Amino acid sequence: MHGICHAPHLFLDRRSAGLELAEALMPHAAERPLVLALPRGGVPVAFEAARMLHAELDILLVRRIGAPGHSGLALGAVIDGTHPQFVVNEEVIRQVRPPAGWFEAEIQRQLQELERTRQLYCREPPIPVVDRCVILVDDGIDTGSSVRAALKGLAKSAPGQLILAVPVAPRAVAQDLQRLVDELVCLAMPEPFDSIARHYGDFDETTNREVADLLAEARHSAR
């Protein structure tokens, strides 16, 4: 495993950050990688990276499972895909001890929510990741909780190679996540780290319509 890091700097916007990521990822272009974006902010970044790499683009949806009565306490997460996966925080479950059957029912509820969200964005089934070079992209990492769940879920789907690529992240979090991937590409690891938005000139919210339009454009270009 190894990481790429350049001096901290300001990105113009998400799409320009995606172009910079593409340069760092170019050695993987010949592997015909699959680029997976974490919506919503990761999609404009991933779109540009996939376009430059001539790679397929898809989204990876993650739904946290909060403890009953304590939604901020994560018991696990559900990750979509050809075969949806879920990850479990066994220690928290032992502490919370949810009612019998509650966790299983919540997994099913979140799976339904994943399907609803996918239909909203692209109305296409997930692209299989088995044996593929998979590049997971977001617009940045803060605590890393969603990315960590996504990586653990992806690993269960047996990609040939798993790469995490982000424009900016706290150094300690990036180093922790690096253990879950074959390669980490991070363009900036500033210390101290305040927020992802601080490292972008334009960090306006990515809309559902923008996500849908970019995914449609990527699918059309791939045909």
Side-chain angles (χ1 to χ4, degrees), residues 14-141:
R14 289 182 178 89
R15 294 183 73 157
S16 65
L19 292 174
E20 293 192 42
L21 268 185
E23 291 183 24
L25 292 165
M26 202 54 69
H28 296 286
E31 301 167 42
R32 300 184 62 81
L34 169 62
V35 176
L36 295 179
L38 288 171
R40 291 176 294 193
V43 175
V45 182
F47 174 84
E48 294 296 344
R51 185 172 64 85
M52 294 297 291
L53 295 170
H54 301 287
E56 289 184 282
L57 174 67
D58 199 0
I59 49 174
L60 186 72
L61 302 170
V62 178
R63 294 287 301 181
R64 290 174 70 259
I65 299 176
H70 302 279
S71 59
L73 188 61
L75 300 183
V78 179
I79 298 92
D80 81 334
T82 307
H83 302 288
Q85 305 289 344
F86 62 90
V87 295
V88 180
N89 190 328
E90 298 284 1
E91 182 179 348
V92 176
I93 285 183
R94 284 195 297 269
Q95 293 173 355
V96 173
R97 290 187 291 182
W102 181 90
F103 188 74
E104 292 74 12
E106 186 65 10
I107 287 176
Q108 294 304 312
R109 190 176 78 83
Q110 295 301 343
L111 283 171
Q112 293 173 0
E113 184 62 22
L114 287 180
E115 179 59 26
R116 186 196 70 79
T117 305
R118 177 168 281 277
Q119 290 296 315
L120 173 68
Y121 287 148
C122 63
R123 301 192 179 188
E124 297 276 356
I127 299 174
V129 305
V130 177
D131 294 331
R132 296 287 300 271
C133 172
V134 176
I135 304 173
L136 181 66
V137 175
D138 204 353
D139 56 8
I141 296 173

Side-chain angles (χ1 to χ4, degrees), residues 11-14 41-42 45 138-140 168 195-206:
F11 302 102
L12 178 64
D13 55 23
R14 289 182 178 89
V45 182
D138 204 353
D139 56 8
V168 62
S195 68
I196 299 170
R198 182 170 179 175
H199 302 281
Y200 283 85
D202 177 359
F203 200 66
D204 287 347
E205 182 178 356
T206 303

